[in-house]
Amino acid sequence: MAFAERVRHLVPEGAYYMLARAQALEAEGREIIHLEIGQPDVATFENVAAAGVWAIQEGYTRYTPPAGIPALRRAIAEDAGRRRGMQVEPAQVVVGPGAKPALFFPTLALVRPGDEVLYPDPGFPTYAAMIGVAGGVPVPVPLREEEDFSFDLATFDRLVSERTRMVVLNSPSNPTGGVLGLAALEHIAEVARERDLWVLSDEIYARLAFDGRPAPSIASLPGMREHTVICDGFSKTYAMTGWRLGYGIMPEALAERVELLLTHSIGCTAAFTQQAGLEALQGPQEQAEAVVAEYQRRRDVLVAGLNGMPGVRCRTPQGAFYVFPNVKAWRMSTSERTSNEVADYLLEEAGVAVLPGSAFGTYGEGYLRLCFANSMENIEKALERMAGALGSARCQPPNSSGGGGSRMRGRGRP
Ligand code: PLP
């Protein structure tokens, strides 16, 4: 079939691929621990779910204004502005079904064919996809383990050119859990102001920051309001992944364009979902805060467990709910074992579903992504099973006497 150029590069998201494989094994009777998909293990908070049910019963089941109901836009402006220490007007807020539209539509509105867009690698797969659909040229900027997966600023400076139109940031980051510090943000902001660039700042994990250290937003730096699109949402903070509710915050003129894109594509976001979102923002916040403390406990157990395994090295993430351990010692440097093959092996041998780092870009090769939004019991069980599988005779690090490894060769990539 002849497809338009703009969709030819699209491939499935690795997380969905691995979930389907894990589910196929479950259908055969295997018990799988799911550390692959990035969503909270807790149910949507009771008050929020109740508000959604109430809204359906009360008839909030019709079209709404494309950019969202005014009460929700106001509540988002107040909440998002206060948390970032900046003034946000409701007219700057565009509500959508999930955070993804706040990535995709501003990109469509701003990026012209041939424009270059810098984005983090390893990074959320939607970035390269949306840049390509817009006709832009994706330019990966490496996140390096040695720098706690912060932006590599020297490479960033080298890659910025006359053709650069936009820079995508994601802090806290999926898949690394890295947080961009103020110094890095100031550096990027200075370049953006000087060269009149747009910054698309994906802050969907902003509320999931650990050790009492909040992740700063580049939008709050001087002069950056006119250069920044913030992408945020309800999926991760309020355990609402399936409700589909997110938003973008951007200069008013851009918000009007993005609203038109919403008008002519999705129409609007479900009315009852928006009512539930209103309750999420205006109701009690204790549960959202308690969940962060619990994630931090799980992070610590997972990081310690991984670092105790031979051939595995894991940094302590400062945010989000992912760890990104380095498993290069498993002979992957010779490309004998890709991270894809290690992930495959762990799924089949240990019944633990994780994602290969390569699902997040070239610089993710040699790493795995594990999501710790799962019960402590499952995390401990997964660690035990992984230690067993990685220590078995069939999968030995390079300097061990084990050998073998044939099971892990020649597997297909997602
Ligand atoms: N941005 C990042 C970095 C994510 O990890 C995700 C979801 O996994 C999203 C955006 C999309 O969020 P939503 O499900 O609200 O569209």
Side-chain angles (χ1 to χ4, degrees), residues 13 38 97-101 103 124 127 170 174 202 204-205 231 233-236 241 244-246 322:
E13 243 184 67
K100 277 181 176 173
L103 296 171
F124 189 46
Y127 305 145
N170 176 213
N174 174 11
D202 182 348
I204 183 99
Y205 296 102
C231 161
F234 295 73
S235 298
K236 318 288 174 173
T241 48
R244 309 312 296 139
L245 189 62
Y322 308 108

mmCIF file with all atom_site columns, all heavy atoms in Angstrom, residues 13 38 97-101 103 124 127 170 174 202 204-205 231 233-236 241 244-246 322, ligand 1:
data_model
loop_
_atom_site.group_PDB
_atom_site.id
_atom_site.type_symbol
_atom_site.label_atom_id
_atom_site.label_alt_id
_atom_site.label_comp_id
_atom_site.label_asym_id
_atom_site.label_entity_id
_atom_site.label_seq_id
_atom_site.pdbx_PDB_ins_code
_atom_site.Cartn_x
_atom_site.Cartn_y
_atom_site.Cartn_z
_atom_site.occupancy
_atom_site.B_iso_or_equiv
_atom_site.pdbx_formal_charge
_atom_site.auth_seq_id
_atom_site.auth_comp_id
_atom_site.auth_asym_id
_atom_site.auth_atom_id
_atom_site.pdbx_PDB_model_num
ATOM   1   N N   . GLU A 1 13  ? 5.200  1.627  19.785 1.00 0.00 ? 13  GLU A N   1
ATOM   2   C CA  . GLU A 1 13  ? 5.951  1.938  21.006 1.00 0.00 ? 13  GLU A CA  1
ATOM   3   C C   . GLU A 1 13  ? 6.408  0.615  21.628 1.00 0.00 ? 13  GLU A C   1
ATOM   4   O O   . GLU A 1 13  ? 5.602  -0.315 21.738 1.00 0.00 ? 13  GLU A O   1
ATOM   5   C CB  . GLU A 1 13  ? 5.038  2.678  21.981 1.00 0.00 ? 13  GLU A CB  1
ATOM   6   C CG  . GLU A 1 13  ? 5.504  4.074  22.297 1.00 0.00 ? 13  GLU A CG  1
ATOM   7   C CD  . GLU A 1 13  ? 4.629  4.739  23.345 1.00 0.00 ? 13  GLU A CD  1
ATOM   8   O OE1 . GLU A 1 13  ? 4.628  4.295  24.496 1.00 0.00 ? 13  GLU A OE1 1
ATOM   9   O OE2 . GLU A 1 13  ? 3.933  5.707  22.997 1.00 0.00 ? 13  GLU A OE2 1
ATOM   10  N N   . GLY A 1 38  ? 4.552  1.931  31.723 1.00 0.00 ? 38  GLY A N   1
ATOM   11  C CA  . GLY A 1 38  ? 4.744  3.046  32.659 1.00 0.00 ? 38  GLY A CA  1
ATOM   12  C C   . GLY A 1 38  ? 3.443  3.634  33.156 1.00 0.00 ? 38  GLY A C   1
ATOM   13  O O   . GLY A 1 38  ? 3.013  4.677  32.673 1.00 0.00 ? 38  GLY A O   1
ATOM   14  N N   . PRO A 1 97  ? -7.030 15.097 25.366 1.00 0.00 ? 97  PRO A N   1
ATOM   15  C CA  . PRO A 1 97  ? -7.148 13.718 25.864 1.00 0.00 ? 97  PRO A CA  1
ATOM   16  C C   . PRO A 1 97  ? -5.771 13.098 26.108 1.00 0.00 ? 97  PRO A C   1
ATOM   17  O O   . PRO A 1 97  ? -5.225 12.427 25.248 1.00 0.00 ? 97  PRO A O   1
ATOM   18  C CB  . PRO A 1 97  ? -7.903 13.000 24.736 1.00 0.00 ? 97  PRO A CB  1
ATOM   19  C CG  . PRO A 1 97  ? -7.610 13.792 23.509 1.00 0.00 ? 97  PRO A CG  1
ATOM   20  C CD  . PRO A 1 97  ? -7.334 15.208 23.934 1.00 0.00 ? 97  PRO A CD  1
ATOM   21  N N   . GLY A 1 98  ? -5.223 13.338 27.262 1.00 0.00 ? 98  GLY A N   1
ATOM   22  C CA  . GLY A 1 98  ? -3.878 12.888 27.601 1.00 0.00 ? 98  GLY A CA  1
ATOM   23  C C   . GLY A 1 98  ? -2.886 14.007 27.367 1.00 0.00 ? 98  GLY A C   1
ATOM   24  O O   . GLY A 1 98  ? -3.226 15.079 26.839 1.00 0.00 ? 98  GLY A O   1
ATOM   25  N N   . ALA A 1 99  ? -1.634 13.729 27.770 1.00 0.00 ? 99  ALA A N   1
ATOM   26  C CA  . ALA A 1 99  ? -0.578 14.722 27.567 1.00 0.00 ? 99  ALA A CA  1
ATOM   27  C C   . ALA A 1 99  ? -0.063 14.692 26.134 1.00 0.00 ? 99  ALA A C   1
ATOM   28  O O   . ALA A 1 99  ? 0.481  15.676 25.647 1.00 0.00 ? 99  ALA A O   1
ATOM   29  C CB  . ALA A 1 99  ? 0.569  14.448 28.552 1.00 0.00 ? 99  ALA A CB  1
ATOM   30  N N   . LYS A 1 100 ? -0.218 13.576 25.472 1.00 0.00 ? 100 LYS A N   1
ATOM   31  C CA  . LYS A 1 100 ? 0.355  13.440 24.124 1.00 0.00 ? 100 LYS A CA  1
ATOM   32  C C   . LYS A 1 100 ? -0.100 14.529 23.153 1.00 0.00 ? 100 LYS A C   1
ATOM   33  O O   . LYS A 1 100 ? 0.721  15.033 22.385 1.00 0.00 ? 100 LYS A O   1
ATOM   34  C CB  . LYS A 1 100 ? 0.068  12.052 23.556 1.00 0.00 ? 100 LYS A CB  1
ATOM   35  C CG  . LYS A 1 100 ? 1.073  11.021 24.033 1.00 0.00 ? 100 LYS A CG  1
ATOM   36  C CD  . LYS A 1 100 ? 0.804  9.653  23.440 1.00 0.00 ? 100 LYS A CD  1
ATOM   37  C CE  . LYS A 1 100 ? 1.884  8.671  23.870 1.00 0.00 ? 100 LYS A CE  1
ATOM   38  N NZ  . LYS A 1 100 ? 1.587  7.294  23.460 1.00 0.00 ? 100 LYS A NZ  1
ATOM   39  N N   . PRO A 1 101 ? -1.384 14.921 23.144 1.00 0.00 ? 101 PRO A N   1
ATOM   40  C CA  . PRO A 1 101 ? -1.765 16.014 22.237 1.00 0.00 ? 101 PRO A CA  1
ATOM   41  C C   . PRO A 1 101 ? -1.004 17.306 22.511 1.00 0.00 ? 101 PRO A C   1
ATOM   42  O O   . PRO A 1 101 ? -0.793 18.105 21.589 1.00 0.00 ? 101 PRO A O   1
ATOM   43  C CB  . PRO A 1 101 ? -3.265 16.193 22.512 1.00 0.00 ? 101 PRO A CB  1
ATOM   44  C CG  . PRO A 1 101 ? -3.715 14.877 23.044 1.00 0.00 ? 101 PRO A CG  1
ATOM   45  C CD  . PRO A 1 101 ? -2.547 14.337 23.829 1.00 0.00 ? 101 PRO A CD  1
ATOM   46  N N   . LEU A 1 103 ? 2.037  17.440 23.150 1.00 0.00 ? 103 LEU A N   1
ATOM   47  C CA  . LEU A 1 103 ? 3.335  17.289 22.477 1.00 0.00 ? 103 LEU A CA  1
ATOM   48  C C   . LEU A 1 103 ? 3.134  17.426 20.966 1.00 0.00 ? 103 LEU A C   1
ATOM   49  O O   . LEU A 1 103 ? 3.829  18.162 20.281 1.00 0.00 ? 103 LEU A O   1
ATOM   50  C CB  . LEU A 1 103 ? 3.929  15.901 22.771 1.00 0.00 ? 103 LEU A CB  1
ATOM   51  C CG  . LEU A 1 103 ? 4.292  15.581 24.218 1.00 0.00 ? 103 LEU A CG  1
ATOM   52  C CD1 . LEU A 1 103 ? 4.661  14.108 24.360 1.00 0.00 ? 103 LEU A CD1 1
ATOM   53  C CD2 . LEU A 1 103 ? 5.461  16.452 24.670 1.00 0.00 ? 103 LEU A CD2 1
ATOM   54  N N   . PHE A 1 124 ? 11.447 9.548  25.225 1.00 0.00 ? 124 PHE A N   1
ATOM   55  C CA  . PHE A 1 124 ? 10.091 9.050  24.950 1.00 0.00 ? 124 PHE A CA  1
ATOM   56  C C   . PHE A 1 124 ? 9.916  8.932  23.422 1.00 0.00 ? 124 PHE A C   1
ATOM   57  O O   . PHE A 1 124 ? 10.152 9.915  22.699 1.00 0.00 ? 124 PHE A O   1
ATOM   58  C CB  . PHE A 1 124 ? 9.104  10.060 25.540 1.00 0.00 ? 124 PHE A CB  1
ATOM   59  C CG  . PHE A 1 124 ? 7.676  9.619  25.553 1.00 0.00 ? 124 PHE A CG  1
ATOM   60  C CD1 . PHE A 1 124 ? 7.316  8.350  25.991 1.00 0.00 ? 124 PHE A CD1 1
ATOM   61  C CD2 . PHE A 1 124 ? 6.664  10.484 25.149 1.00 0.00 ? 124 PHE A CD2 1
ATOM   62  C CE1 . PHE A 1 124 ? 5.985  7.958  26.016 1.00 0.00 ? 124 PHE A CE1 1
ATOM   63  C CE2 . PHE A 1 124 ? 5.335  10.108 25.182 1.00 0.00 ? 124 PHE A CE2 1
ATOM   64  C CZ  . PHE A 1 124 ? 4.998  8.838  25.614 1.00 0.00 ? 124 PHE A CZ  1
ATOM   65  N N   . TYR A 1 127 ? 8.574  11.603 20.678 1.00 0.00 ? 127 TYR A N   1
ATOM   66  C CA  . TYR A 1 127 ? 9.258  12.817 20.200 1.00 0.00 ? 127 TYR A CA  1
ATOM   67  C C   . TYR A 1 127 ? 9.700  12.670 18.747 1.00 0.00 ? 127 TYR A C   1
ATOM   68  O O   . TYR A 1 127 ? 9.369  13.491 17.898 1.00 0.00 ? 127 TYR A O   1
ATOM   69  C CB  . TYR A 1 127 ? 10.469 13.162 21.076 1.00 0.00 ? 127 TYR A CB  1
ATOM   70  C CG  . TYR A 1 127 ? 10.163 13.315 22.553 1.00 0.00 ? 127 TYR A CG  1
ATOM   71  C CD1 . TYR A 1 127 ? 11.066 12.921 23.527 1.00 0.00 ? 127 TYR A CD1 1
ATOM   72  C CD2 . TYR A 1 127 ? 8.946  13.844 22.972 1.00 0.00 ? 127 TYR A CD2 1
ATOM   73  C CE1 . TYR A 1 127 ? 10.783 13.052 24.875 1.00 0.00 ? 127 TYR A CE1 1
ATOM   74  C CE2 . TYR A 1 127 ? 8.655  13.972 24.323 1.00 0.00 ? 127 TYR A CE2 1
ATOM   75  C CZ  . TYR A 1 127 ? 9.576  13.573 25.268 1.00 0.00 ? 127 TYR A CZ  1
ATOM   76  O OH  . TYR A 1 127 ? 9.286  13.695 26.602 1.00 0.00 ? 127 TYR A OH  1
ATOM   77  N N   . ASN A 1 170 ? 12.668 16.819 28.686 1.00 0.00 ? 170 ASN A N   1
ATOM   78  C CA  . ASN A 1 170 ? 11.780 15.959 29.474 1.00 0.00 ? 170 ASN A CA  1
ATOM   79  C C   . ASN A 1 170 ? 12.420 15.737 30.839 1.00 0.00 ? 170 ASN A C   1
ATOM   80  O O   . ASN A 1 170 ? 13.364 14.973 30.971 1.00 0.00 ? 170 ASN A O   1
ATOM   81  C CB  . ASN A 1 170 ? 11.569 14.625 28.740 1.00 0.00 ? 170 ASN A CB  1
ATOM   82  C CG  . ASN A 1 170 ? 10.740 13.622 29.526 1.00 0.00 ? 170 ASN A CG  1
ATOM   83  O OD1 . ASN A 1 170 ? 10.945 12.415 29.431 1.00 0.00 ? 170 ASN A OD1 1
ATOM   84  N ND2 . ASN A 1 170 ? 9.796  14.108 30.298 1.00 0.00 ? 170 ASN A ND2 1
ATOM   85  N N   . ASN A 1 174 ? 11.562 10.138 31.209 1.00 0.00 ? 174 ASN A N   1
ATOM   86  C CA  . ASN A 1 174 ? 11.284 8.774  30.808 1.00 0.00 ? 174 ASN A CA  1
ATOM   87  C C   . ASN A 1 174 ? 12.240 8.505  29.638 1.00 0.00 ? 174 ASN A C   1
ATOM   88  O O   . ASN A 1 174 ? 12.191 9.258  28.660 1.00 0.00 ? 174 ASN A O   1
ATOM   89  C CB  . ASN A 1 174 ? 9.823  8.664  30.336 1.00 0.00 ? 174 ASN A CB  1
ATOM   90  C CG  . ASN A 1 174 ? 9.495  7.307  29.761 1.00 0.00 ? 174 ASN A CG  1
ATOM   91  O OD1 . ASN A 1 174 ? 10.267 6.374  29.879 1.00 0.00 ? 174 ASN A OD1 1
ATOM   92  N ND2 . ASN A 1 174 ? 8.333  7.200  29.129 1.00 0.00 ? 174 ASN A ND2 1
ATOM   93  N N   . ASP A 1 202 ? 8.437  18.710 28.358 1.00 0.00 ? 202 ASP A N   1
ATOM   94  C CA  . ASP A 1 202 ? 7.520  17.644 28.785 1.00 0.00 ? 202 ASP A CA  1
ATOM   95  C C   . ASP A 1 202 ? 7.717  17.434 30.285 1.00 0.00 ? 202 ASP A C   1
ATOM   96  O O   . ASP A 1 202 ? 8.718  16.867 30.715 1.00 0.00 ? 202 ASP A O   1
ATOM   97  C CB  . ASP A 1 202 ? 7.829  16.375 27.984 1.00 0.00 ? 202 ASP A CB  1
ATOM   98  C CG  . ASP A 1 202 ? 6.879  15.229 28.324 1.00 0.00 ? 202 ASP A CG  1
ATOM   99  O OD1 . ASP A 1 202 ? 6.137  15.330 29.318 1.00 0.00 ? 202 ASP A OD1 1
ATOM   100 O OD2 . ASP A 1 202 ? 6.888  14.234 27.574 1.00 0.00 ? 202 ASP A OD2 1
ATOM   101 N N   . ILE A 1 204 ? 5.462  15.911 32.410 1.00 0.00 ? 204 ILE A N   1
ATOM   102 C CA  . ILE A 1 204 ? 4.410  15.002 32.884 1.00 0.00 ? 204 ILE A CA  1
ATOM   103 C C   . ILE A 1 204 ? 4.771  14.333 34.221 1.00 0.00 ? 204 ILE A C   1
ATOM   104 O O   . ILE A 1 204 ? 3.901  13.943 34.984 1.00 0.00 ? 204 ILE A O   1
ATOM   105 C CB  . ILE A 1 204 ? 4.084  13.943 31.798 1.00 0.00 ? 204 ILE A CB  1
ATOM   106 C CG1 . ILE A 1 204 ? 2.938  12.997 32.197 1.00 0.00 ? 204 ILE A CG1 1
ATOM   107 C CG2 . ILE A 1 204 ? 5.276  13.094 31.438 1.00 0.00 ? 204 ILE A CG2 1
ATOM   108 C CD1 . ILE A 1 204 ? 1.630  13.345 31.642 1.00 0.00 ? 204 ILE A CD1 1
ATOM   109 N N   . TYR A 1 205 ? 6.089  14.224 34.507 1.00 0.00 ? 205 TYR A N   1
ATOM   110 C CA  . TYR A 1 205 ? 6.499  13.608 35.784 1.00 0.00 ? 205 TYR A CA  1
ATOM   111 C C   . TYR A 1 205 ? 6.914  14.654 36.824 1.00 0.00 ? 205 TYR A C   1
ATOM   112 O O   . TYR A 1 205 ? 7.578  14.313 37.803 1.00 0.00 ? 205 TYR A O   1
ATOM   113 C CB  . TYR A 1 205 ? 7.667  12.638 35.541 1.00 0.00 ? 205 TYR A CB  1
ATOM   114 C CG  . TYR A 1 205 ? 7.286  11.463 34.652 1.00 0.00 ? 205 TYR A CG  1
ATOM   115 C CD1 . TYR A 1 205 ? 7.642  11.419 33.313 1.00 0.00 ? 205 TYR A CD1 1
ATOM   116 C CD2 . TYR A 1 205 ? 6.521  10.408 35.151 1.00 0.00 ? 205 TYR A CD2 1
ATOM   117 C CE1 . TYR A 1 205 ? 7.276  10.359 32.497 1.00 0.00 ? 205 TYR A CE1 1
ATOM   118 C CE2 . TYR A 1 205 ? 6.149  9.348  34.348 1.00 0.00 ? 205 TYR A CE2 1
ATOM   119 C CZ  . TYR A 1 205 ? 6.528  9.330  33.019 1.00 0.00 ? 205 TYR A CZ  1
ATOM   120 O OH  . TYR A 1 205 ? 6.151  8.268  32.223 1.00 0.00 ? 205 TYR A OH  1
ATOM   121 N N   . CYS A 1 231 ? 4.190  20.676 28.620 1.00 0.00 ? 231 CYS A N   1
ATOM   122 C CA  . CYS A 1 231 ? 3.259  19.553 28.456 1.00 0.00 ? 231 CYS A CA  1
ATOM   123 C C   . CYS A 1 231 ? 3.136  18.878 29.817 1.00 0.00 ? 231 CYS A C   1
ATOM   124 O O   . CYS A 1 231 ? 4.141  18.549 30.446 1.00 0.00 ? 231 CYS A O   1
ATOM   125 C CB  . CYS A 1 231 ? 3.837  18.591 27.424 1.00 0.00 ? 231 CYS A CB  1
ATOM   126 S SG  . CYS A 1 231 ? 3.133  16.940 27.486 1.00 0.00 ? 231 CYS A SG  1
ATOM   127 N N   . GLY A 1 233 ? 0.007  16.680 32.636 1.00 0.00 ? 233 GLY A N   1
ATOM   128 C CA  . GLY A 1 233 ? -1.266 15.968 32.609 1.00 0.00 ? 233 GLY A CA  1
ATOM   129 C C   . GLY A 1 233 ? -1.577 15.251 33.902 1.00 0.00 ? 233 GLY A C   1
ATOM   130 O O   . GLY A 1 233 ? -0.872 15.420 34.906 1.00 0.00 ? 233 GLY A O   1
ATOM   131 N N   . PHE A 1 234 ? -2.618 14.456 33.851 1.00 0.00 ? 234 PHE A N   1
ATOM   132 C CA  . PHE A 1 234 ? -3.165 13.814 35.035 1.00 0.00 ? 234 PHE A CA  1
ATOM   133 C C   . PHE A 1 234 ? -2.796 12.330 35.127 1.00 0.00 ? 234 PHE A C   1
ATOM   134 O O   . PHE A 1 234 ? -2.979 11.702 36.174 1.00 0.00 ? 234 PHE A O   1
ATOM   135 C CB  . PHE A 1 234 ? -4.696 13.957 35.030 1.00 0.00 ? 234 PHE A CB  1
ATOM   136 C CG  . PHE A 1 234 ? -5.161 15.378 35.149 1.00 0.00 ? 234 PHE A CG  1
ATOM   137 C CD1 . PHE A 1 234 ? -5.037 16.276 34.092 1.00 0.00 ? 234 PHE A CD1 1
ATOM   138 C CD2 . PHE A 1 234 ? -5.719 15.834 36.344 1.00 0.00 ? 234 PHE A CD2 1
ATOM   139 C CE1 . PHE A 1 234 ? -5.455 17.597 34.209 1.00 0.00 ? 234 PHE A CE1 1
ATOM   140 C CE2 . PHE A 1 234 ? -6.146 17.160 36.476 1.00 0.00 ? 234 PHE A CE2 1
ATOM   141 C CZ  . PHE A 1 234 ? -6.006 18.043 35.408 1.00 0.00 ? 234 PHE A CZ  1
ATOM   142 N N   . SER A 1 235 ? -2.300 11.761 34.030 1.00 0.00 ? 235 SER A N   1
ATOM   143 C CA  . SER A 1 235 ? -2.104 10.305 33.943 1.00 0.00 ? 235 SER A CA  1
ATOM   144 C C   . SER A 1 235 ? -1.252 9.746  35.077 1.00 0.00 ? 235 SER A C   1
ATOM   145 O O   . SER A 1 235 ? -1.636 8.773  35.727 1.00 0.00 ? 235 SER A O   1
ATOM   146 C CB  . SER A 1 235 ? -1.438 9.953  32.613 1.00 0.00 ? 235 SER A CB  1
ATOM   147 O OG  . SER A 1 235 ? -2.264 10.324 31.548 1.00 0.00 ? 235 SER A OG  1
ATOM   148 N N   . LYS A 1 236 ? -0.108 10.354 35.291 1.00 0.00 ? 236 LYS A N   1
ATOM   149 C CA  . LYS A 1 236 ? 0.860  9.772  36.227 1.00 0.00 ? 236 LYS A CA  1
ATOM   150 C C   . LYS A 1 236 ? 0.597  10.237 37.657 1.00 0.00 ? 236 LYS A C   1
ATOM   151 O O   . LYS A 1 236 ? 0.642  9.461  38.592 1.00 0.00 ? 236 LYS A O   1
ATOM   152 C CB  . LYS A 1 236 ? 2.288  10.147 35.815 1.00 0.00 ? 236 LYS A CB  1
ATOM   153 C CG  . LYS A 1 236 ? 2.567  10.067 34.320 1.00 0.00 ? 236 LYS A CG  1
ATOM   154 C CD  . LYS A 1 236 ? 2.648  8.658  33.784 1.00 0.00 ? 236 LYS A CD  1
ATOM   155 C CE  . LYS A 1 236 ? 2.793  8.669  32.260 1.00 0.00 ? 236 LYS A CE  1
ATOM   156 N NZ  . LYS A 1 236 ? 3.034  7.381  31.661 1.00 0.00 ? 236 LYS A NZ  1
ATOM   157 N N   . THR A 1 241 ? -4.317 7.145  33.787 1.00 0.00 ? 241 THR A N   1
ATOM   158 C CA  . THR A 1 241 ? -3.834 6.902  32.418 1.00 0.00 ? 241 THR A CA  1
ATOM   159 C C   . THR A 1 241 ? -4.966 6.620  31.424 1.00 0.00 ? 241 THR A C   1
ATOM   160 O O   . THR A 1 241 ? -4.932 7.076  30.291 1.00 0.00 ? 241 THR A O   1
ATOM   161 C CB  . THR A 1 241 ? -2.812 5.742  32.388 1.00 0.00 ? 241 THR A CB  1
ATOM   162 O OG1 . THR A 1 241 ? -3.356 4.644  33.120 1.00 0.00 ? 241 THR A OG1 1
ATOM   163 C CG2 . THR A 1 241 ? -1.496 6.154  32.998 1.00 0.00 ? 241 THR A CG2 1
ATOM   164 N N   . ARG A 1 244 ? -7.645 9.608  30.004 1.00 0.00 ? 244 ARG A N   1
ATOM   165 C CA  . ARG A 1 244 ? -7.143 10.484 28.952 1.00 0.00 ? 244 ARG A CA  1
ATOM   166 C C   . ARG A 1 244 ? -7.399 11.956 29.289 1.00 0.00 ? 244 ARG A C   1
ATOM   167 O O   . ARG A 1 244 ? -8.424 12.537 28.904 1.00 0.00 ? 244 ARG A O   1
ATOM   168 C CB  . ARG A 1 244 ? -7.725 10.140 27.559 1.00 0.00 ? 244 ARG A CB  1
ATOM   169 C CG  . ARG A 1 244 ? -7.613 8.709  27.153 1.00 0.00 ? 244 ARG A CG  1
ATOM   170 C CD  . ARG A 1 244 ? -6.216 8.142  27.359 1.00 0.00 ? 244 ARG A CD  1
ATOM   171 N NE  . ARG A 1 244 ? -5.196 8.788  26.532 1.00 0.00 ? 244 ARG A NE  1
ATOM   172 C CZ  . ARG A 1 244 ? -3.970 9.093  26.991 1.00 0.00 ? 244 ARG A CZ  1
ATOM   173 N NH1 . ARG A 1 244 ? -3.615 8.832  28.239 1.00 0.00 ? 244 ARG A NH1 1
ATOM   174 N NH2 . ARG A 1 244 ? -3.104 9.653  26.195 1.00 0.00 ? 244 ARG A NH2 1
ATOM   175 N N   . LEU A 1 245 ? -6.467 12.541 30.015 1.00 0.00 ? 245 LEU A N   1
ATOM   176 C CA  . LEU A 1 245 ? -6.575 13.955 30.356 1.00 0.00 ? 245 LEU A CA  1
ATOM   177 C C   . LEU A 1 245 ? -5.183 14.562 30.548 1.00 0.00 ? 245 LEU A C   1
ATOM   178 O O   . LEU A 1 245 ? -4.386 14.081 31.359 1.00 0.00 ? 245 LEU A O   1
ATOM   179 C CB  . LEU A 1 245 ? -7.403 14.134 31.640 1.00 0.00 ? 245 LEU A CB  1
ATOM   180 C CG  . LEU A 1 245 ? -7.784 15.573 31.985 1.00 0.00 ? 245 LEU A CG  1
ATOM   181 C CD1 . LEU A 1 245 ? -8.666 16.204 30.916 1.00 0.00 ? 245 LEU A CD1 1
ATOM   182 C CD2 . LEU A 1 245 ? -8.509 15.634 33.340 1.00 0.00 ? 245 LEU A CD2 1
ATOM   183 N N   . GLY A 1 246 ? -4.916 15.586 29.779 1.00 0.00 ? 246 GLY A N   1
ATOM   184 C CA  . GLY A 1 246 ? -3.638 16.276 29.890 1.00 0.00 ? 246 GLY A CA  1
ATOM   185 C C   . GLY A 1 246 ? -3.806 17.705 29.400 1.00 0.00 ? 246 GLY A C   1
ATOM   186 O O   . GLY A 1 246 ? -4.908 18.131 29.039 1.00 0.00 ? 246 GLY A O   1
ATOM   187 N N   . TYR A 1 322 ? 11.007 5.261  36.883 1.00 0.00 ? 322 TYR A N   1
ATOM   188 C CA  . TYR A 1 322 ? 11.801 4.312  36.106 1.00 0.00 ? 322 TYR A CA  1
ATOM   189 C C   . TYR A 1 322 ? 13.238 4.262  36.603 1.00 0.00 ? 322 TYR A C   1
ATOM   190 O O   . TYR A 1 322 ? 13.786 5.277  37.021 1.00 0.00 ? 322 TYR A O   1
ATOM   191 C CB  . TYR A 1 322 ? 11.849 4.744  34.641 1.00 0.00 ? 322 TYR A CB  1
ATOM   192 C CG  . TYR A 1 322 ? 10.491 5.016  34.037 1.00 0.00 ? 322 TYR A CG  1
ATOM   193 C CD1 . TYR A 1 322 ? 10.086 6.325  33.760 1.00 0.00 ? 322 TYR A CD1 1
ATOM   194 C CD2 . TYR A 1 322 ? 9.623  3.979  33.761 1.00 0.00 ? 322 TYR A CD2 1
ATOM   195 C CE1 . TYR A 1 322 ? 8.836  6.588  33.213 1.00 0.00 ? 322 TYR A CE1 1
ATOM   196 C CE2 . TYR A 1 322 ? 8.363  4.222  33.210 1.00 0.00 ? 322 TYR A CE2 1
ATOM   197 C CZ  . TYR A 1 322 ? 7.978  5.540  32.941 1.00 0.00 ? 322 TYR A CZ  1
ATOM   198 O OH  . TYR A 1 322 ? 6.757  5.794  32.408 1.00 0.00 ? 322 TYR A OH  1
HETATM 199 N N1  . PLP B 2 .   ? 5.415  12.152 28.086 1.00 0.00 ? 1   PLP B N1  1
HETATM 200 C C1  . PLP B 2 .   ? 6.107  11.177 28.666 1.00 0.00 ? 1   PLP B C1  1
HETATM 201 C C2  . PLP B 2 .   ? 7.545  11.396 28.961 1.00 0.00 ? 1   PLP B C2  1
HETATM 202 C C3  . PLP B 2 .   ? 5.490  9.969  29.012 1.00 0.00 ? 1   PLP B C3  1
HETATM 203 O O1  . PLP B 2 .   ? 6.211  9.005  29.597 1.00 0.00 ? 1   PLP B O1  1
HETATM 204 C C4  . PLP B 2 .   ? 4.119  9.805  28.704 1.00 0.00 ? 1   PLP B C4  1
HETATM 205 C C5  . PLP B 2 .   ? 3.436  8.534  28.985 1.00 0.00 ? 1   PLP B C5  1
HETATM 206 O O2  . PLP B 2 .   ? 4.018  7.502  29.196 1.00 0.00 ? 1   PLP B O2  1
HETATM 207 C C6  . PLP B 2 .   ? 3.444  10.845 28.086 1.00 0.00 ? 1   PLP B C6  1
HETATM 208 C C7  . PLP B 2 .   ? 4.110  12.022 27.785 1.00 0.00 ? 1   PLP B C7  1
HETATM 209 C C8  . PLP B 2 .   ? 1.997  10.721 27.677 1.00 0.00 ? 1   PLP B C8  1
HETATM 210 O O3  . PLP B 2 .   ? 1.125  10.841 28.733 1.00 0.00 ? 1   PLP B O3  1
HETATM 211 P P1  . PLP B 2 .   ? -0.449 10.624 28.501 1.00 0.00 ? 1   PLP B P1  1
HETATM 212 O O4  . PLP B 2 .   ? -0.716 9.170  28.716 1.00 0.00 ? 1   PLP B O4  1
HETATM 213 O O5  . PLP B 2 .   ? -1.107 11.492 29.520 1.00 0.00 ? 1   PLP B O5  1
HETATM 214 O O6  . PLP B 2 .   ? -0.779 11.036 27.108 1.00 0.00 ? 1   PLP B O6  1
#
